[in-house]
Amino acid sequence: MGAASGLTWQRLRDLRPAELTEAADGWRAASAFADAARERVDGDMSGRLTRTQDSESARSAVKRLRRLSENYHCIHTETGLIRGTLAGLADELAAPQRTLRTALADAASLGYTVNDNGSVDYPAGGRNELTGDTLPGGSVTGDNGLIGAGNPGLYYDADGMYDPARAPGTPTLKNPNPHCAKAQDIADRIAHALREAHEIDERYSSALNKLKAAPGLTVDSRTWADIASDADAVSGAAREYLGKEIPFEESPADRKEWWDHLTEEKREEYIAAFPGVIGNLDGIPALARDQANRENIQLLIAQLEGQQDTKSQNMAEGLKEIQRKLLHQDPKAPPMYLLGIGAEGNGRAVVAYGNPDTARNVSAYVPGLGTSLDADFAGGDLKRASDIAIDAQSFNASSASIAWLGYDAPQIGFDSNLPQNIRNLDVMGTEKASAGATSYNEFMAGISATNDHADPHITAIGHSYGSFTVGQAAQRDGGIPGADDIVLVGSPGTGASHAQELNVDKDHVFVGAADNDLVTKLPSKTQAAGLVSGVIPAVLADPSGSQVWFGTDPSHRDFGATRFAVDDGPVPFVGGEGATPAHSDYFDVDDGAGVRRPSESERNISLIVSGNSSEISREQPR
């Protein structure tokens, strides 16, 4: 419609939102066609050619087909954005149109005239108290919404004549003609409807004007950066539409019910137009989140590549590696599902191996110190989740494993922007774990809500500072939603004094602590203070030897958890591997010579995840 078109009350009254909806449906068909064409190119053409032919001409043809696939991908994304924009515009304009039509109907029923400029004429009525004459009719215009502004038609003297001295801020007597107030109410509603429609029109017009493809067929990083900007514009324009349509403030279970009751067309609209929203919404099924995030990952990469800071570049590299794994999945590993990505903080990524909605056994692993969305996470942490899934499936085929980077883990390194006394000390604090615990519990509530099984077996796994985050999540009211077992490895403590405080039976809290892992032997805060001051000998600060930095050592007998056997790990500092080489060995797997040999720790973790904890090898608590 556009602001330049001059939105009048007549145009708003006669507007047919159904035409916008029909246009959105047309763009939906175009988007679906492009997506289907891309799938045919990737599968039936490029994929078949790659599998059946190995020649220079075949490789050249595959390159051309990949470019064609990118063209279809671009068309699918852009047309999906247009569809979402038109659907949001139609939905939002319907509300002010209803307000306007109701006001016009009220004016007609009272015999008032609505003028072209939105003012309302009303007839004579009532009596002048001094003369007994009928008070004259008049005309009023709607309140323009500005503070201190008002309608001159409201302010009259005792004879029914307008008096400027009675303007806002001075005592006034309102026109005693009973029609005046009714007409004013109608005029105000008309003005309000027009103001609201103008704001909606301008917001969506701005977004639609951005959705213009550059000439040519080349789809490169610049193209995707432009599309990412378009996606942001559409999401910004549709913020009110999304807030009304999507149950952001409801529980993951309520979101699942909402999603289940949507039509397939509506689901497609949300995924195509708002992939960053749907892909990160706990309670949405895994297949839908995966589809949305596969759409969004290219946009997010393009946005990050356009920024020059090191953190953005690292996140882009991490996402590109995740994308590579999605496109070229390891045939030995269960299928990947991308359940969340984002650039907030140090980056967000949630990746499942195996479908967490259909698996009977589901685990969610929280990494710790030094983890961020980068190539190391996409390589090391995703491999841990993949290995757990592979090994758990060897014990129970219905198993899935998730790597959950949904919080800002403490980072290692030097930050010159911080005072010397607080550099790199966030690993010692609780704030990041507290924030992470809230997000983790929301995610786990979503996992329980979308799982097909009435009572799935769910395992929460935390490594390093991630074990503290899991421990904090477990100590919230009701514990970690759906969690049956909790696994803590390389833990500096959970903040709890006893396993029972984690809201599962203590026999379902499992701890792995390598003898050579110094992180599991960090001194308690009291010990550290005493050692630094030289006032409190360590033995007096902690006579039982059970305390570590974040409370009772989970591997200590006082904690009451089950300690499973792990390798001792490398000795600190020997071999030039630093102070904590054993800290990262809990998930080791040797795939050498084609034979899979999980470490004792990895095997025990996988037994727990698969629901076979009775078969783990154990060792005595400290």
Side-chain angles (χ1 to χ4, degrees):
M1 189 179 300
S5 63
L7 179 59
T8 64
W9 68 260
Q10 294 93 335
R11 295 191 69 192
L12 179 59
R13 176 197 62 193
D14 298 334
L15 178 70
R16 294 181 59 196
E19 292 181 349
L20 292 172
T21 303
E22 290 169 5
D25 288 341
W27 287 105
R28 179 189 67 81
S31 181
F33 175 83
D35 194 39
R38 180 179 61 152
E39 289 184 358
R40 286 196 299 273
V41 170
D42 289 343
D44 297 343
M45 300 171 68
S46 178
R48 181 175 298 176
L49 194 59
T50 301
R51 291 190 301 270
T52 60
Q53 298 188 38
D54 183 17
S55 65
E56 188 59 37
S57 59
R59 286 188 287 274
S60 177
V62 168
K63 288 181 180 179
R64 291 194 295 272
L65 287 170
R66 286 175 178 166
R67 287 196 295 270
L68 179 60
S69 174
E70 279 295 277
N71 288 331
Y72 279 128
H73 188 187
C74 177
I75 294 169
H76 165 67
T77 303
E78 287 279 43
T79 52
L81 292 174
I82 296 172
R83 171 196 181 184
T85 305
L86 292 174
L89 177 60
D91 181 89
E92 288 200 47
L93 282 176
Q97 185 185 61
R98 285 192 298 269
T99 299
L100 172 68
R101 287 180 171 178
T102 301
L104 294 175
D106 289 345
S109 68
L110 292 168
Y112 302 165
T113 300
V114 179
N115 301 307
D116 287 348
N117 66 354
S119 63
V120 178
D121 296 343
Y122 59 90
R127 296 287 177 181
N128 185 305
E129 293 181 0
L130 297 178
T131 65
D133 295 336
T134 300
L135 293 169
S139 182
V140 293
T141 57
D143 180 6
N144 63 11
L146 299 177
I147 296 175
N151 192 298
L154 288 176
Y155 307 105
Y156 291 81
D157 60 18
D159 295 321
M161 301 299 291
Y162 172 63
D163 182 358
R166 298 180 182 275
T170 63
T172 64
L173 292 175
K174 293 186 178 180
N175 190 333
N177 184 334
H179 292 294
C180 181
K182 295 178 182 178
Q184 185 65 59
D185 173 67
I186 291 171
D188 286 344
R189 283 187 278 153
I190 292 171
H192 175 78
L194 274 175
R195 282 198 310 273
E196 185 180 0
H198 268 296
E199 187 278 327
I200 294 168
D201 184 32
E202 291 174 0
R203 182 157 34 92
Y204 278 96
S205 294
S206 176
L208 282 170
N209 286 335
K210 285 183 62 63
L211 298 176
K212 296 178 181 178
L217 295 175
T218 300
V219 178
D220 53 20
S221 59
R222 182 175 179 179
T223 306
W224 284 113
D226 288 342
I227 296 175
S229 177
D230 295 345
D232 284 346
V234 170
S235 294
R239 60 186 181 275
E240 293 186 19
Y241 169 64
L242 292 175
K244 182 178 67 174
E245 293 287 308
I246 298 176
F248 290 108
E249 301 304 320
E250 304 298 324
S251 70
D254 290 333
R255 295 177 197 146
K256 170 63 163 56
E257 184 176 0
W258 164 77
W259 185 263
D260 286 346
H261 286 86
L262 292 177
T263 64
E264 191 60 36
E265 290 76 15
K266 200 66 175 176
R267 293 175 190 167
E268 290 176 3
E269 174 196 324
Y270 287 136
I271 291 173
F274 314 109
V277 174
I278 299 302
N280 291 289
L281 196 60
D282 296 321
I284 303 301
L287 288 175
R289 291 181 72 164
D290 178 67
Q291 183 182 350
N293 285 316
R294 287 176 189 247
E295 291 295 326
N296 193 41
I297 191 169
Q298 185 65 59
L299 305 181
L300 192 53
I301 289 171
Q303 285 181 320
L304 292 167
E305 286 187 324
Q307 301 174 31
Q308 301 305 313
D309 60 287
T310 301
K311 184 167 72 171
S312 295
Q313 293 300 310
N314 288 341
M315 284 193 281
E317 289 303 313
L319 288 172
K320 285 193 285 187
E321 178 60 18
I322 291 174
Q323 186 180 52
R324 187 195 67 77
K325 289 178 180 291
L326 289 168
L327 295 174
H328 308 284
Q329 292 196 30
D330 182 352
K332 296 181 293 184
M336 290 176 66
Y337 296 85
L338 189 55
L339 304 183
I341 49 173
E344 58 266 37
N346 293 317
R348 303 286 186 265
V350 183
V351 180
Y353 286 87
N355 189 334
D357 291 349
T358 59
R360 172 70 178 82
N361 306 290
V362 182
S363 68
Y365 149 71
V366 182
L369 174 65
T371 310
S372 61
L373 177 54
D374 55 18
D376 287 341
F377 170 82
D381 291 286
L382 292 197
K383 184 179 186 304
R384 290 176 179 178
S386 173
D387 286 338
I388 290 172
I390 293 171
D391 294 325
Q393 287 190 3
S394 72
F395 301 118
N396 186 319
S398 186
S399 299
S401 173
I402 301 167
W404 184 85
L405 182 59
Y407 81 125
D408 284 327
Q411 297 301 297
I412 302 171
F414 179 82
D415 187 346
S416 60
N417 294 319
L418 295 176
Q420 183 68 45
N421 62 331
I422 60 171
R423 288 174 188 166
N424 308 318
L425 294 183
D426 56 354
V427 70
M428 300 298 193
T430 63
E431 293 79 8
K432 294 185 183 299
S434 180
T438 299
S439 299
Y440 186 68
N441 279 354
E442 182 84 355
F443 174 77
M444 296 297 270
I447 290 297
S448 295
T450 59
N451 193 277
D452 293 342
H453 298 269
D455 185 23
H457 172 246
I458 295 177
T459 304
I461 305 174
H463 172 239
S464 186
Y465 190 89
S467 70
F468 179 50
T469 303
V470 167
Q472 292 293 289
Q475 291 173 78
R476 300 286 175 87
D477 288 345
I480 298 171
D484 299 287
D485 292 315
I486 294 175
V487 176
L488 310 169
V489 291
S491 179
T494 63
S497 299
H498 195 276
Q500 202 72 47
E501 297 173 32
L502 303 187
N503 279 298
V504 297
D505 187 277
K506 68 180 183 64
D507 293 334
H508 289 270
V509 178
F510 300 92
V511 180
D515 282 343
N516 290 326
D517 182 359
L518 296 185
V519 173
T520 69
K521 299 178 179 180
L522 287 174
S524 69
K525 296 178 183 179
T526 303
Q527 283 180 302
L531 290 171
V532 170
S533 66
V535 173
I536 307 173
V539 69
L540 295 180
D542 179 20
S544 68
S546 66
Q547 299 302 296
V548 287
W549 188 259
F550 292 118
T552 303
D553 176 4
S555 66
H556 195 275
R557 61 182 178 277
D558 287 355
F559 193 74
T562 299
R563 186 182 181 189
F564 58 87
V566 303
D567 297 333
D568 291 344
V571 176
F573 301 108
V574 176
E577 296 185 68
T580 59
H583 189 55
S584 301
D585 285 357
Y586 296 99
F587 304 93
D588 278 2
V589 172
D590 180 10
D591 270 327
V595 178
R596 185 174 186 79
R597 292 189 177 89
S599 66
E600 189 169 23
S601 174
E602 161 69 14
R603 181 179 184 278
N604 284 326
I605 292 171
S606 299
L607 281 167
I608 296 166
V609 166
S610 64
N612 295 286
S613 59
S614 61
E615 299 179 26
I616 64 171
S617 56
R618 307 178 183 225
E619 61 181 288
Q620 291 298 312
R622 288 175 174 168

